[in-house]
Amino acid sequence: MGSWAAATWRLGGCSGRGGLRGAPRRRGSFRPGGGDRAGTLSDLLQSSVGAEEPGAAAAARRERPSPREATVLLFPGQGSQFVGMGHGLLRYPGVRDMYRLAEKVLGYDLLSLCLEGPRDELDRTRHCQPAVFVASLAAVEKLNHQQPEVVESCVAAAGYSVGEFAALVFAGALGFAEALYAVKVRAEAMQKASEAVPSGMLTVIGRREANYKFACLEARKHCESLGIENPVCVISNYLFPDSRVIAGHLQALEFLQENARKYYFTHTKMLPVSGAFHTRLMEPAVEPLAEVLKSIEIQKPLVSVYSNVDGKKYMHSKHIQKLLVKQVVSPVMWEQTMHSVYERKQGTEFPYTYEVGPGKQLGAVLKKCNLKAWKQYNHVDALEDEEAAET
């Protein structure tokens, strides 16, 4: 009952301050088993009137695939981008239409930035979040073209940080253009917030004795001794057992690196970002995103989508609106999300998992969280396939 297959795109133009109008409601759908199935995103872009949602949803939910036949899609987040991504996707129907629409929504040529860089510009928060969002959904077009049965059998989706917006578009809860505009506002507000305070993010792998919260407490006390008022140093991402991302003031992160052995950290590495994302230092980004999400249509997902905030399924549109805002200042509970997605009775087979978009970071994390689930992992890259490149 894949959403790309079952639900559908609502794509519309962007107009006015923080609002979108003229976006069609749910349009004609890809449907399991053929029938009226639209072949590509471009078909959906060109169509002005589509099937009613209840019929599409009913068709989607008619047959539930067996655990082994079922699939899960994972959408990457900021940090997975690279210059050249998207090159291998342009040959698939609909992808160029996505980038043309993105240029209208964003006001700049996203495709050129992805293909040619420069890297410093692509890596900026305001650019890389929309870039990863579009590249990930373009990778779904590639997957739908190569293996439509994988998309049609999807029963769950999850996205890492900004990847959650792509997962919700895939699931039919958000329209592409509307979600991209929300991502644009989110990314610009987060970059502005990150520039206000010297801050960053530190990946930490620790021994079993490691007490991350205590280490953060001592790092905050260190900052206070330096005269920093109300310092921030907290866990911002739960990656997998024994690994966390800690975010906050740069002085706090430097203190943790210098005292890594004291806190039983075996490895620390600063992330190439300029802000303490998913902490209260991002509070200035909350209101702009909240205002945009109030102005756009959100519907209940047609497949299960799991929230970063609590690792649980989204239940309804208001739930989505609330938690997408809360996510900006809350830790990403990715380890907990992976447990929720893959929890099953002993002896039940695991679904096939597809990471769609640039990078394989989520696959690496899945391997640490659940080795049995990872054995069914696949990656749909944003580069050209080797076989296609040779022909």
Side-chain angles (χ1 to χ4, degrees):
M1 59 180 175
S3 53
W4 205 270
T8 65
W9 291 76
R10 291 170 288 118
L11 297 139
C14 168
S15 120
R17 179 175 171 269
L20 287 150
R21 66 186 181 199
R25 299 301 183 252
R26 293 193 176 190
R27 301 198 172 184
S29 62
F30 296 118
R31 294 187 183 182
D36 307 354
R37 179 173 158 193
T40 67
L41 175 60
S42 55
D43 294 333
L44 299 175
L45 281 166
Q46 290 165 9
S47 90
S48 57
V49 180
E52 293 296 319
E53 185 276 329
R61 301 177 188 280
R62 195 166 293 142
E63 292 185 13
R64 187 178 183 86
S66 69
R68 174 46 64 87
E69 294 172 338
T71 60
V72 172
L73 265 59
L74 302 180
F75 293 82
Q78 181 173 348
S80 61
Q81 73 278 353
F82 59 88
V83 174
M85 71 176 184
H87 176 72
L89 304 175
L90 297 176
R91 59 194 291 263
Y92 296 100
V95 171
R96 288 188 183 273
D97 290 325
M98 295 174 73
Y99 280 103
R100 288 190 193 103
L101 185 55
E103 184 173 357
K104 292 180 180 178
V105 173
L106 298 172
Y108 58 87
D109 189 346
L110 180 67
L111 180 57
S112 293
L113 182 60
C114 289
L115 294 180
E116 302 166 11
R119 180 178 174 179
D120 288 349
E121 280 299 307
L122 180 60
D123 285 348
R124 297 185 72 193
T125 296
R126 62 177 299 179
H127 294 144
C128 70
Q129 289 191 17
V132 171
F133 169 85
V134 175
S136 296
L137 290 171
V140 177
E141 280 290 341
K142 174 180 177 178
L143 180 61
N144 187 61
H145 180 82
Q146 294 181 338
Q147 297 175 274
E149 68 282 358
V150 169
V151 174
E152 292 167 4
S153 299
C154 182
V155 296
Y160 191 93
S161 191
V162 71
E164 200 163 284
F165 286 82
L168 287 164
V169 170
F170 169 77
L174 296 172
F176 175 81
E178 296 167 313
L180 178 57
Y181 188 76
V183 168
K184 174 183 184 288
V185 170
R186 177 186 189 267
E188 291 173 351
M190 288 175 72
Q191 179 165 319
K192 186 176 180 180
S194 69
E195 291 170 351
V197 178
S199 55
M201 305 180 79
L202 180 73
T203 299
V204 176
I205 297 176
R207 290 161 54 183
R208 292 193 176 185
E209 306 97 301
N211 186 328
Y212 302 96
K213 291 184 178 180
F214 176 71
C216 289
L217 174 63
E218 294 216 323
R220 291 195 297 272
K221 288 180 178 179
H222 169 73
C223 287
E224 289 172 350
S225 73
L226 299 176
I228 299 174
E229 294 183 7
N230 202 16
V232 172
C233 183
V234 294
I235 298 171
S236 63
N237 303 67
Y238 291 81
L239 296 177
F240 54 85
D242 303 324
S243 182
R244 306 284 185 268
V245 176
I246 295 174
H249 283 80
L250 285 180
Q251 295 90 333
L253 304 183
E254 290 165 358
F255 171 83
L256 292 178
Q257 286 185 295
E258 292 168 3
N259 294 275
R261 293 184 65 181
K262 176 182 176 181
Y263 300 115
Y264 301 103
F265 297 163
T266 59
H267 176 79
T268 62
K269 182 181 180 181
M270 290 293 296
L271 295 179
V273 297
S274 59
F277 302 140
H278 302 290
T279 74
R280 61 179 170 82
L281 289 178
M282 291 294 110
E283 283 178 358
V286 166
E287 186 176 349
L289 178 59
E291 288 302 310
V292 171
L293 291 175
K294 286 177 186 175
S295 71
I296 67 177
E297 181 185 8
I298 303 175
Q299 299 192 26
K300 183 177 179 179
L302 292 178
V303 298
S304 298
V305 178
Y306 291 77
S307 168
N308 286 183
V309 173
D310 57 12
K312 298 178 182 178
K313 298 176 186 177
Y314 280 116
M315 302 308 295
H316 49 75
S317 59
K318 289 293 184 184
H319 193 210
I320 294 171
Q321 180 180 318
K322 177 182 177 181
L323 292 191
L324 282 180
V325 173
K326 189 175 180 181
Q327 186 223 68
V328 173
V329 291
S330 301
V332 173
M333 311 293 279
W334 192 254
E335 179 184 346
Q336 295 82 343
T337 299
M338 292 298 92
H339 290 318
S340 296
V341 170
Y342 295 102
E343 184 180 19
R344 58 204 57 243
K345 294 179 181 178
Q346 189 171 0
T348 304
E349 294 178 318
F350 285 91
Y352 288 97
T353 296
Y354 291 81
E355 181 173 357
V356 283
K360 298 181 181 180
Q361 292 93 328
L362 299 184
V365 171
L366 177 59
K367 186 177 182 180
K368 297 285 188 179
C369 287
N370 192 320
L371 183 61
K372 289 183 179 179
W374 173 80
K375 289 180 179 178
Q376 310 299 331
Y377 166 86
N378 300 272
H379 180 228
V380 184
D381 207 344
L383 285 173
E384 192 71 52
D385 294 329
E386 290 182 11
E387 312 87 69
E390 290 172 358
T391 58

